[in-house]
Amino acid sequence: MELSPVVRGAIPVLADVFGKVANVRVRNAATVGGVMAESDYASDPPAVLVALDALVDVHGPGGRRSIPAAEFFLAFYETALAHDEIVTGVRVPLLAAGTGAVYHKFVTRSSEDRPCVGVTGVVALAKDGTVRDLRVAVGAAAETPQRFRDAEQAAIGRQLTDDVVAGIADAYADRIDTLDDMRGSAWYRTEMVRVWVRRAIASAAAAATPQG
């Protein structure tokens, strides 16, 4: 995923996030399905896959089914997989032309550490600079990746002014029940969500090419 020219050409943010997982030794042993099935709250890829509206294909004695990534992660190390099912694939829709997508990983200890907060920002702009699509998913701050579609929708059809971006960041910071661990307290994580959601939206908007 990290090195694939197909992935880098089609959905660069996917290659980027998988290149930020731990270190090369871990990445050589890990699998995409394993990352999903483990449902580790501090893993990098889940927040990106939630923001990209990925589908998780699973298979068991009862047959095959597909689960939206947003519904796949239920709690700490708990997923929507039945006890007799396995992950067989992950499908990611292509983004519309001109869409900017980024993943910002904020670490508090070492460069190889798992994130204190990880934020995915996706922005598509119309010719007049108004927002056609905006998505934000926050990982590592709570038990599961957090995405609030009503907060995203507040930006549709509007210019991404500082006030609009700050309003979305505040909505995420206020609504996420942040956790405490060795990478940061709940209070600290809340403030970092506020900061990094703003930065992710700004970066995604800067990478977007207005269309239409």
Side-chain angles (χ1 to χ4, degrees):
M1 293 289 288
E2 174 188 2
L3 302 176
S4 166
V6 174
V7 176
R8 287 196 170 276
I11 313 178
V13 69
L14 268 185
D16 179 53
V17 68
F18 279 99
K20 291 179 177 176
V21 173
N23 56 55
V24 68
R25 296 180 299 280
V26 171
R27 295 196 294 274
N28 278 336
T31 66
V32 176
V35 164
M36 302 298 283
E38 185 183 25
S39 190
D40 183 342
Y41 76 96
S43 181
D44 295 287
V48 174
L49 292 166
V50 167
L52 294 178
D53 291 327
L55 289 172
V56 185
D57 293 331
V58 306
H59 190 198
R64 302 177 186 272
R65 62 187 181 118
S66 295
I67 307 169
E71 301 171 13
F72 184 79
F73 305 103
L74 301 182
F76 282 120
Y77 305 103
E78 181 182 347
T79 71
L81 279 171
H83 73 280
D84 53 1
E85 289 180 319
I86 61 170
V87 174
T88 56
V90 178
R91 290 181 285 138
V92 183
L94 295 177
L95 293 169
T99 301
V102 301
Y103 173 71
H104 285 329
K105 174 177 182 172
F106 172 59
V107 295
T108 50
R109 302 188 303 176
S110 74
S111 61
E112 294 184 353
D113 198 10
R114 299 195 295 172
C116 173
V117 171
V119 182
T120 307
V122 178
V123 174
L125 300 173
K127 279 281 190 176
D128 62 0
T130 57
V131 175
R132 294 189 296 118
D133 185 20
L134 184 142
R135 311 177 207 171
V136 174
V138 176
E143 291 189 25
T144 61
Q146 302 290 297
R147 182 179 173 189
F148 304 118
R149 294 176 188 267
D150 58 332
E152 297 171 346
Q153 286 296 310
I156 303 303
R158 303 174 67 184
Q159 300 280 342
L160 272 181
T161 64
D162 290 345
D163 286 345
V164 169
V165 174
I168 297 168
D170 287 344
Y172 273 75
D174 293 344
R175 291 168 66 174
I176 295 176
D177 184 13
T178 49
L179 51 83
D180 284 282
D181 67 11
M182 66 185 72
R183 296 173 188 85
S185 67
W187 175 87
Y188 183 71
R189 268 195 168 86
T190 295
E191 295 310 305
M192 290 303 98
V193 167
R194 203 181 311 276
V195 168
W196 287 96
V197 167
R198 288 200 306 268
R199 292 181 180 179
I201 294 173
S203 296
T209 303
Q211 303 286 312

